[in-house]
Structures are given as structure tokens and as C-alpha cells.
Amino acid sequence: MRVATRTLLLWCPDWPVLAAEIVDGVSATGPVAVLHANRVVACSEQARAEGVRRGLRRREAQGRCPGLTVVDHDPGRDARAFEPVVAAVEEVAVGVEVIRPGACALAARGPSRYLGGEEAAAERIVEHVAQSCAVESQVGIADGTFAAGLAARQGRIVPPGGTPEFLAGQPVAALGRPALADLLHRLGVRTLGDFAALPAGDVLARFGFDGALAHRLAAGRDDRPLAVRQPPADLAVTADLDEPIDRVDVAAFTARTLAERLHERLAGHGLACTRLGIEAVTAHGQELHRVWRHDGLLTAAAIADRVRWQLDGWLTGARRGAPARPTAGIIRLRLVPDGMIAQAGLQAGLWGETGEERERAHRALSRVQGLLGPEAVVTAVLGGGRSPADQTRLVPWGDERLPTRPGPAPPESVEHGGAVGAGRRRVGAGMVVPAWPGRLPPPAPAVVLPTPVDASVLDATGTPVVVSARLAVSAPPARLTIDATAEVVGGVGVGGSAEIVGWAGPWPVDERWWAPAEARRRARFQVRLADGAALLLAVERGRWLIEAIYD
């Protein structure tokens, strides 16, 4: 059986209240309560002295303390305010795991050995956090994170091997599972020692897997290893220039030197980057920033090229229709690596996907982006949706090719029945994506018009064809007439008409009916004209539109 790790846990009491003071300037010395879903989740010491407790409703808390300051719960604020505390702990000891905002843990063995014992380590960390962040904290040390958290609330160091005895006297509410604690109380189980004495098999059968986990914690068998965070190394490189640079050739020389420094620093950590952030500051304080992405590993030459292209775009781009050039020369240049992977972690494609031709095309397109902006070169990404226009998204060259909506998997990945269920598709690593009801059947149209063209659909007698609310077609479509303001569409000229020799549909779509301002109800038809052209039509509120053209 694995032995629980000797764990040191730092706990900052009433952290949501302290975070509100740090970020929003709320005085934590007065009566303050942090509310979530109209209930108190944390309160200050002064508020507790006046009867405010966790779990009280807002009105009851304000009734007990009329001068109570109420603050909304903000997990993001708590996490941002806690980051300096974690950084202060990392200055004393490494391998810190953030349990939640207000509590972090680390293995006690390392700091206790080089600081002269567990008690000395606890005092040093508490003192350093107080000096660095002006935050009061308490430290607990025990076998396992759960027991260390309870010990921290008492500022106690539990001797090695004494964790089960320490836990035995704690109330079952300490498990942090209100429903389980209430049930155990009704069954006459009051302390963690009473709960740990129950047979493990009976606990699993009665309370399920979560109850079995709580049973292990109550017995002091918290053998989960710490998921420590690794402090990121500062791999960025910066060049402060003596004279402002406003010429591309001088900037290119600086770019190559800086690129070689960055490449050497990454190689020293066994890393390579696939994204590069280029930052520049001008003599007037103007800040410029651009991120470059690359399918392969960025070598020193590739980094230098991209920096040179970007500086060329910034310094001379105004003559090519790009945004205005900087108002002064560049005095600081900084390269920030991103998307880092192990240097041997990318393999070239077998059939030349990352070969010389692709690299040459990538360099050319990337340079165009550097001169004219990232939106100057875009590629199409297919995704989900019911209409062809919804299924296509244009993304700048080099950006992640992610669809706006999840799309269906290839046909071979469709699963019928089983755990996934009929009509659902499995995409990627276990992700299940539902099919799109109302999606047009294949084949997909070859051309999707950027703006649908107005048209009229007539029957054999020249009467406009209408579609009822029950999707009943008044008569078979016989002739298509295009609006006189439209250009040639599918071989039909301006204001011209063509005979419809075949049609299919309707395919109805009733989207966002729950939001009246965004609701859209329409029906689509596929029609074939006498000259062989095929079109995708849609009728919405009695108006016919041409949406796409088939090959």
C-alpha cells in the first residue's frame, strides 16, 4: 500500500474577503460577506463576531449585521489575487500545487531538510508570504493533503504516523461533503474516526465511489500524489537599442542576432517553438505586437526571417496600403516563444506535407501577412451547420484551423446504437458530436454566394410558388426568374429566367425559435435548370433567394 506523502499546506483564512480587499479595495477589517447564489460563502472576522456564518441567506446575514458589506463571489478575482502568494511560496520551495484560491500545498520533505525541520520550514514560509504579500497565513503539516488542510486551520504540525489519530477526532463535516455528512449524522456517525471504523466494502455498497473516497480520507489513506506546477522558465529575449531603428537593413541585423539568442536559449532547454511573439517599443512609447505561427519547428534562420519581415511591415508597410508606420524608431525588440514542444517532438510528413514547397509557400504568405496584416491571407475551414454558408469559416493563414461549429465526423466514424446512440458521431479523442438536423444532403454546392440573390419561382401557369407553414408546396416549380439587379447566376443572365426541369425539397430549418429577435424559419430546395445548371434555393417569409450554385 502506498504511503501518504508528507505534505505542507499553506492556508489563507477568509481568502475571498482578502481577494476583494486586494483587487477591489474592500476593507477586510470591517464586516464583509462574499455571496454566491444569494448565500454567504465567506465572511470576515468582524462579520463572524456579529453572527454571520457561511450558508446564511443574504437577508438573514444583513439582519444579523446591519452594517454588512456584501461582495459578489468572483473565482477569477480570487485566483488572480492568489498568484503572488503562490509565487512567494515558490521563492522558498519548489513543487507547489494550488488546491484552490487561498490554499496551496507542497511536499514537506525538501524544505524541511534544507531549512532545519518542519517547524522551521513552516515559520519561514509564513514569514516570507507575510513580508512579500502582506497576507496572513497558516501552515499545517500532515500525511496527505486532506489531513494537512485540516491541520492548517489549527496551525498544527501532525507527527509522522499520527495522522489517523489526528483525523479520528474531527467531525464528519470536515469531509466537505454536506449531503454525506448529514446522512452520517442521521446514522449516528459523528466523527471521522467513527466513519473510518466502518468496513470499506459496506461503505462502497451504501455510499458509492465518492463515499468510498471519503472513507479513505477519513482513515488517513490519502495517497494521491501532489500535482505540482512547474514555474515557467523565462525564455523571452530582449534587445534594448542605443539608437532608434527606422531602417529595415539595420533592423534585420538586430533581428538575426536576437533570433540566434532565442534559438540557443530554447535549445538549452531541449525545446523548439511553433509560434513566435514579436514585440517592439518605439521612442514615443508606442507598443507593437504580432504573433507568427509555423507548422514546423522554427529554426534560428526562420525566426530571423519572420522578425525581419515583421519589422519591414511595420517600418515600410504604410507605402503598401498597410496601417500607418510607427511615429518613431524602434528602441526595444523582444521575442517571446510560444507553442513550445520538445525539439524532437515534430516529425516531417511522409509525403511532403512539411517539405520544401510547403515551406516556400508558407514563407511567401507569411510575408504578405507581415506587410498587409493577418487578414490579408485566409483559408477556409469546414465545420458544422445546416446551410453551406454556416459550414465555412475563413481563418487567417497560420492560425488554428478550428471550425465555428462542431462538424460531423467522416462516415466511417458513425456509430449506431451502443453507448453513443444512433445518429451521433464520435470525433477525435472520445468527443461525441451530434448530427445537424436539417442539414442538406450531399453533394455540397461548389459556390456559396456571399450575399443571396433575390429570385422568383413560378409554376406552369406563371403563378408564384408558395410554401405553407406545414411545408406544403402550392405547385411544382416550373420557372426561375432572377432579380434584374443581380449578375449572372448559374448561367441565367440579368433579369433572365430559365426553365426548372427537376427539383427536390423542401428541407425545413427552424432555428433559434426560443429567441424571437434571432429566430429564423426557412425551407430550402435544390433545382436543376434546363441548361444543366443546379442551384440551391431558399424561401423565407415568402421571399425566394439563391444561396449557392452546384457544379
Side-chain angles (χ1 to χ4, degrees), residues 112-149:
S112 65
R113 293 184 65 180
Y114 64 76
L115 292 176
E118 293 179 344
E119 184 174 354
E123 292 177 354
R124 173 69 180 279
I125 290 175
V126 169
E127 180 181 1
H128 186 70
V129 169
Q131 292 177 350
S132 302
C133 308
V135 171
E136 293 185 1
S137 60
Q138 297 178 191
V139 164
I141 301 178
D143 299 334
T145 306
F146 173 69

Side-chain angles (χ1 to χ4, degrees), residues 144-416:
T145 306
F146 173 69
L150 297 180
R153 295 178 179 272
Q154 304 175 19
R156 180 175 174 180
I157 298 177
V158 180
T163 296
E165 182 181 355
F166 165 71
L167 292 174
Q170 302 293 325
V172 291
L175 290 170
R177 295 165 168 81
L180 177 61
D182 180 68
L183 179 56
L184 291 175
H185 265 287
R186 287 188 277 116
L187 294 175
V189 179
R190 300 285 190 269
T191 65
L192 296 184
D194 297 338
F195 186 38
L198 298 176
D202 294 343
V203 171
L204 175 62
R206 177 63 179 83
F207 302 106
F209 289 105
D210 188 63
L213 174 60
H215 183 259
R216 291 182 59 86
L217 296 178
R221 298 196 298 271
D222 183 9
D223 54 6
R224 180 184 67 86
L226 290 173
V228 300
R229 79 171 198 169
Q230 300 294 331
D234 185 10
L235 300 175
V237 293
T238 305
D240 292 314
L241 309 174
D242 296 332
E243 296 291 336
I245 292 178
D246 54 8
R247 291 171 44 193
V248 176
D249 54 347
V250 179
F253 178 78
T254 304
R256 179 164 297 279
T257 303
L258 203 59
E260 291 175 353
R261 284 176 51 195
L262 175 62
H263 190 263
E264 291 176 0
R265 181 169 295 186
L266 291 174
H269 289 79
L271 299 172
C273 69
T274 59
R275 290 193 302 273
L276 176 68
I278 304 174
E279 301 175 358
V281 179
T282 69
H284 291 170
Q286 183 181 4
E287 296 183 359
L288 308 172
H289 178 74
R290 183 79 76 213
V291 176
W292 289 73
R293 184 185 299 272
H294 184 55
D295 289 339
L297 302 181
L298 283 168
T299 62
I303 294 173
D305 285 343
R306 281 150 182 80
V307 178
R308 177 170 53 84
W309 297 338
Q310 188 58 60
L311 294 175
D312 187 11
W314 280 333
L315 296 175
T316 65
R319 296 198 297 266
R320 300 177 174 90
R325 60 180 295 171
T327 56
I330 294 174
I331 60 172
R332 177 178 298 169
L333 187 61
R334 187 167 185 258
L335 305 184
V336 182
D338 193 10
M340 289 175 290
I341 60 176
Q343 197 164 11
L346 183 68
Q347 182 174 342
L350 180 62
W351 305 113
E353 295 94 314
T354 56
E356 182 179 353
E357 295 80 4
R358 180 179 176 86
E359 173 64 18
R360 187 182 303 116
H362 181 76
R363 288 161 63 95
L365 297 177
S366 297
R367 185 169 189 182
V368 172
Q369 286 183 309
L371 297 174
L372 303 179
E375 302 295 337
V377 183
V378 295
T379 58
V381 178
L382 292 178
R386 296 179 177 86
S387 66
D390 295 337
Q391 297 167 23
T392 306
R393 173 185 175 229
L394 296 178
V395 299
W397 175 263
D399 283 6
E400 289 185 278
R401 296 171 52 82
L402 298 177
T404 305
R405 304 171 180 84
E412 61 270 13
S413 65
V414 178
E415 301 189 12
H416 299 281

Side-chain angles (χ1 to χ4, degrees), residues 66-77:
L68 186 68
T69 300
V70 175
V71 180
D72 290 333
H73 180 51
D74 185 353
R77 177 187 61 206

